[in-house]
């Protein structure tokens, strides 16, 4: 599976909650490196991050290039904070367009630095 390194900056804005006892955030990301472009998304969260116990889900639509291949793809995230933090971050199957059609793979975060493993 090919790999590429990328990084992003994020503009995260609180929005009106969609469900009781949850938080909602709208965001945009600017991507650089092997994944260049922008993405827009929505994050829902619950729990108490100040105590280290919370969770979130997010969907974002990326538009740009991955290693020079242009198109769009949707990314999904699922994260939990407990004694053991877990994070799943991957391309949504069937969401790729253009030269990213058929993309599948995972993203690994280290802060805002990302290792992207993908297959077309």
């Amino acid at each position: 599976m090919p790999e590429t390194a990328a990084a992003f900056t994020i503009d995260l804005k609180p929005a009106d909650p969609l469900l009781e006892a949850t938080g909602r955030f709208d965001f945009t990301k600017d991507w650089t490196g092997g994944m260049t472009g922008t993405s827009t998304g929505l994050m829902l969260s619950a729990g108490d991050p100040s105590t280290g116990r919370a969770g979130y889900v997010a969907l974002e639509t990326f538009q740009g290039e991955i290693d020079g291949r242009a198109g769009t793809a949707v990314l999904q995230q699922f994260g939990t904070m407990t004694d053991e933090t877990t994070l799943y971050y991957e391309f949504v199957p069937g969401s790729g367009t253009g030269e990213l059609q058929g993309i599948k793979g995972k993203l690994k975060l280290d802060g805002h630095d990302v290792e992207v493993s993908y297959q077309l």
Side-chain angles (χ1 to χ4, degrees):
M1 204 176 263
E3 293 187 357
T4 195
F8 65 86
T9 58
I10 186 169
D11 181 19
L12 187 67
K13 295 181 180 176
D16 292 334
L18 297 174
L19 302 168
E20 189 175 328
T22 66
R24 175 183 159 200
F25 300 89
D26 295 329
F27 62 89
T28 58
K29 289 181 183 174
D30 290 315
W31 292 85
T32 58
M35 193 167 160
T36 59
T38 59
S39 60
T40 57
L42 168 70
M43 178 187 300
L44 301 175
S45 64
D48 187 358
S50 67
T51 64
R53 302 187 99 48
Y56 80 95
V57 294
L59 286 173
E60 66 185 280
T61 301
F62 169 80
Q63 182 172 4
E65 295 183 359
I66 300 175
D67 289 338
R69 295 176 182 92
T72 63
V74 177
L75 300 164
Q76 64 183 9
Q77 295 182 50
F78 170 88
T80 57
M81 293 169 43
T82 60
D83 296 334
E84 295 180 26
T85 298
T86 19
L87 174 66
Y88 299 97
Y89 195 10
E90 61 190 6
F91 293 99
V92 173
S95 70
T97 67
E99 294 175 301
L100 299 179
Q101 187 171 357
I103 194 165
K104 58 184 174 180
K106 300 188 180 301
L107 293 82
K108 182 179 177 184
L109 289 177
D110 182 8
H112 290 185
D113 295 321
V114 183
E115 181 181 306
V116 183
S117 301
Y118 67 95
Q119 185 176 351
L120 288 167

